[in-house]
Amino acid sequence: WDVAARTTRSGHSEVDAVDILALVSGGTLKETHTLIVTQFRPPLNRQVVELPAGLIDAGESPETAALRELLEETGYHGEVAQLLTPTCLSPGMTNERTQTVVVKIDLNDPRNHNPIPSQEETENISTHLVPLSRLSASLKELEGKGCEVYSGLQLLAVGLDLKAQLGL
Protein backbone atom coordinates (compact mmCIF):
# COMPACT_ATOMS: atom_id res chain seq x y z
CA TRP A 1 0.00 0.00 0.00
CA ASP A 2 1.02 3.56 -0.61
CA VAL A 3 0.62 5.48 2.63
CA ALA A 4 1.06 9.12 3.56
CA ALA A 5 1.65 9.61 7.29
CA ARG A 6 1.43 12.83 9.29
CA THR A 7 4.59 13.47 11.28
CA THR A 8 3.31 16.55 13.09
CA ARG A 9 1.10 14.89 15.70
CA SER A 10 2.26 15.77 19.20
CA GLY A 11 2.61 13.01 21.78
CA HIS A 12 -0.38 14.05 23.89
CA SER A 13 -2.95 14.11 21.10
CA GLU A 14 -4.76 11.49 19.05
CA VAL A 15 -5.61 14.02 16.33
CA ASP A 16 -3.46 16.03 13.95
CA ALA A 17 -5.73 18.88 12.97
CA VAL A 18 -9.03 20.67 13.49
CA ASP A 19 -11.83 21.68 11.15
CA ILE A 20 -13.91 24.64 12.28
CA LEU A 21 -17.65 24.70 11.67
CA ALA A 22 -18.46 28.35 12.32
CA LEU A 23 -22.03 29.30 13.18
CA VAL A 24 -22.25 33.02 12.52
CA SER A 25 -25.10 35.18 13.78
CA GLY A 26 -25.82 38.73 14.90
CA GLY A 27 -25.24 42.02 13.18
CA THR A 28 -27.58 42.41 10.22
CA LEU A 29 -27.83 38.68 9.48
CA LYS A 30 -31.39 37.34 9.27
CA GLU A 31 -30.32 33.69 9.48
CA THR A 32 -27.34 31.63 10.60
CA HIS A 33 -24.35 31.78 8.27
CA THR A 34 -21.11 29.82 8.17
CA LEU A 35 -17.57 30.52 7.03
CA ILE A 36 -15.97 28.65 4.19
CA VAL A 37 -12.53 29.32 2.78
CA THR A 38 -10.84 28.84 -0.55
CA GLN A 39 -7.14 28.25 -0.90
CA PHE A 40 -4.73 26.73 -3.41
CA ARG A 41 -3.80 23.13 -2.63
CA PRO A 42 -0.70 21.92 -4.51
CA PRO A 43 -1.63 18.18 -4.45
CA LEU A 44 -4.77 19.02 -6.47
CA ASN A 45 -3.18 21.95 -8.34
CA ARG A 46 -6.32 24.03 -7.83
CA GLN A 47 -8.32 26.12 -5.40
CA VAL A 48 -10.17 24.05 -2.82
CA VAL A 49 -13.28 25.09 -0.89
CA GLU A 50 -12.98 23.99 2.74
CA LEU A 51 -13.93 24.74 6.29
CA PRO A 52 -11.31 26.82 8.11
CA ALA A 53 -8.81 24.30 9.48
CA GLY A 54 -5.29 23.74 10.66
CA LEU A 55 -2.78 21.62 12.50
CA ILE A 56 -2.78 21.38 16.28
CA ASP A 57 0.45 22.76 17.72
CA ALA A 58 2.37 20.93 20.44
CA GLY A 59 0.70 21.47 23.81
CA GLU A 60 -2.53 22.81 22.30
CA SER A 61 -6.00 21.41 22.84
CA PRO A 62 -8.25 21.04 19.77
CA GLU A 63 -10.40 23.88 21.12
CA THR A 64 -7.43 26.25 21.45
CA ALA A 65 -6.14 25.27 18.00
CA ALA A 66 -9.58 25.91 16.48
CA LEU A 67 -9.86 29.40 17.92
CA ARG A 68 -6.28 30.22 16.85
CA GLU A 69 -6.77 28.90 13.31
CA LEU A 70 -10.14 30.66 12.97
CA LEU A 71 -8.52 33.97 13.89
CA GLU A 72 -5.45 33.41 11.69
CA GLU A 73 -7.37 32.29 8.59
CA THR A 74 -10.49 34.46 8.79
CA GLY A 75 -9.88 37.21 11.36
CA TYR A 76 -13.00 36.24 13.32
CA HIS A 77 -13.19 35.70 17.08
CA GLY A 78 -15.47 32.98 18.38
CA GLU A 79 -16.50 30.79 21.27
CA VAL A 80 -16.28 26.99 21.26
CA ALA A 81 -19.77 25.47 21.33
CA GLN A 82 -19.02 21.79 20.70
CA LEU A 83 -16.15 19.39 20.14
CA LEU A 84 -17.04 16.47 17.86
CA THR A 85 -15.54 12.99 17.86
CA PRO A 86 -12.22 12.60 15.98
CA THR A 87 -12.54 11.32 12.41
CA CYS A 88 -10.28 10.04 9.66
CA LEU A 89 -10.06 11.77 6.30
CA SER A 90 -8.84 9.14 3.87
CA PRO A 91 -8.22 5.92 5.83
CA GLY A 92 -7.06 4.04 2.74
CA MET A 93 -4.23 6.52 2.22
CA THR A 94 -3.28 8.38 5.40
CA ASN A 95 -3.26 8.16 9.18
CA GLU A 96 -4.36 11.79 9.49
CA ARG A 97 -7.15 12.35 12.02
CA THR A 98 -9.09 15.55 12.50
CA GLN A 99 -11.56 16.84 15.01
CA THR A 100 -14.35 19.23 14.10
CA VAL A 101 -14.89 22.10 16.50
CA VAL A 102 -18.19 23.97 16.31
CA VAL A 103 -17.56 27.64 17.03
CA LYS A 104 -20.17 30.35 17.51
CA ILE A 105 -19.30 33.77 16.09
CA ASP A 106 -21.27 36.82 17.16
CA LEU A 107 -21.12 39.70 14.69
CA ASN A 108 -22.25 42.03 17.49
CA ASP A 109 -18.85 41.47 19.13
CA PRO A 110 -16.80 44.58 18.23
CA ARG A 111 -13.79 42.36 17.43
CA ASN A 112 -15.81 40.88 14.54
CA HIS A 113 -16.84 44.19 12.96
CA ASN A 114 -13.79 44.32 10.70
CA PRO A 115 -12.10 40.90 10.74
CA ILE A 116 -8.49 40.93 9.59
CA PRO A 117 -6.80 37.55 9.05
CA SER A 118 -3.19 37.03 10.09
CA GLN A 119 -2.27 34.32 7.62
CA GLU A 120 1.13 32.71 7.32
CA GLU A 121 3.39 33.80 4.44
CA THR A 122 2.59 30.64 2.48
CA GLU A 123 -1.19 31.06 2.85
CA ASN A 124 -3.46 32.92 0.48
CA ILE A 125 -6.89 32.18 1.90
CA SER A 126 -10.16 33.85 0.90
CA THR A 127 -13.04 33.81 3.38
CA HIS A 128 -16.68 33.50 2.32
CA LEU A 129 -19.60 34.20 4.67
CA VAL A 130 -22.57 32.16 3.40
CA PRO A 131 -26.04 31.40 4.75
CA LEU A 132 -26.32 27.77 5.83
CA SER A 133 -29.53 27.58 3.81
CA ARG A 134 -27.52 28.42 0.66
CA LEU A 135 -24.44 26.33 1.35
CA SER A 136 -25.07 23.92 -1.55
CA ALA A 137 -25.71 26.77 -3.98
CA SER A 138 -22.57 28.58 -2.82
CA LEU A 139 -20.47 25.44 -3.29
CA LYS A 140 -21.89 24.94 -6.80
CA GLU A 141 -21.03 28.54 -7.67
CA LEU A 142 -17.44 28.02 -6.52
CA GLU A 143 -17.24 24.69 -8.40
CA GLY A 144 -18.35 26.59 -11.50
CA LYS A 145 -15.32 28.82 -11.01
CA GLY A 146 -13.01 25.78 -11.05
CA CYS A 147 -12.76 25.06 -7.33
CA GLU A 148 -12.70 21.58 -5.84
CA VAL A 149 -14.94 21.04 -2.78
CA TYR A 150 -13.64 19.29 0.33
CA SER A 151 -15.71 16.13 0.92
CA GLY A 152 -16.63 16.93 4.52
CA LEU A 153 -18.03 20.28 3.46
CA GLN A 154 -19.95 18.67 0.59
CA LEU A 155 -21.46 16.15 3.03
CA LEU A 156 -22.52 18.96 5.36
CA ALA A 157 -24.30 20.67 2.46
CA VAL A 158 -26.01 17.42 1.42
CA GLY A 159 -27.12 16.82 5.02
CA LEU A 160 -28.60 20.31 5.27
CA ASP A 161 -30.38 19.83 1.93
CA LEU A 162 -31.79 16.45 2.98
CA LYS A 163 -33.02 17.91 6.25
CA ALA A 164 -34.89 20.61 4.37
CA GLN A 165 -36.25 18.22 1.71
CA LEU A 166 -37.46 15.65 4.22
CA GLY A 167 -38.84 18.23 6.61
CA LEU A 168 -36.75 16.94 9.48
Side-chain angles (χ1 to χ4, degrees):
W1 284 39
D2 291 328
V3 176
R6 276 272 182 213
T7 59
T8 54
R9 186 180 300 172
S10 60
H12 76 286
S13 180
E14 62 182 43
V15 295
D16 304 286
V18 291
D19 293 311
I20 300 116
L21 175 56
L23 301 177
V24 186
S25 61
T28 60
L29 299 181
K30 304 282 188 241
E31 62 180 293
T32 303
H33 284 52
T34 194
L35 296 174
I36 56 176
V37 296
T38 52
Q39 65 179 311
F40 182 78
R41 292 296 193 177
L44 296 175
N45 196 33
R46 64 185 350 178
Q47 292 286 322
V48 178
V49 187
E50 311 170 351
L51 294 171
L55 295 173
I56 299 171
D57 289 342
E60 267 187 327
S61 68
E63 296 94 334
T64 301
L67 294 176
R68 175 183 52 77
E69 287 289 347
L70 179 70
L71 185 60
E72 287 177 5
E73 291 190 0
T74 71
Y76 284 96
H77 294 263
E79 179 180 308
V80 173
Q82 187 177 3
L83 181 66
L84 303 182
T85 305
T87 59
C88 52
L89 293 177
S90 183
M93 178 63 187
T94 180
N95 69 342
E96 183 177 33
R97 297 185 78 216
T98 65
Q99 198 158 13
T100 300
V101 182
V102 179
V103 175
K104 290 185 178 181
I105 297 173
D106 181 1
L107 294 184
N108 294 320
D109 181 335
R111 299 175 298 170
N112 292 325
H113 290 176
N114 185 27
I116 300 172
S118 57
Q119 298 171 11
E120 297 174 19
E121 285 182 25
T122 58
E123 294 178 317
N124 184 12
I125 300 170
S126 297
T127 303
H128 308 267
L129 178 66
V130 300
L132 279 174
S133 64
R134 286 199 27 81
L135 183 58
S136 284
S138 297
L139 296 180
K140 286 178 185 164
E141 288 170 18
L142 289 164
E143 282 179 300
K145 295 178 181 178
C147 293
E148 183 88 20
V149 177
Y150 167 63
S151 63
L153 184 55
Q154 186 71 45
L155 287 172
L156 173 62
V158 168
L160 291 169
D161 289 348
L162 285 172
K163 180 181 182 212
Q165 290 169 10
L166 299 174
L168 301 174

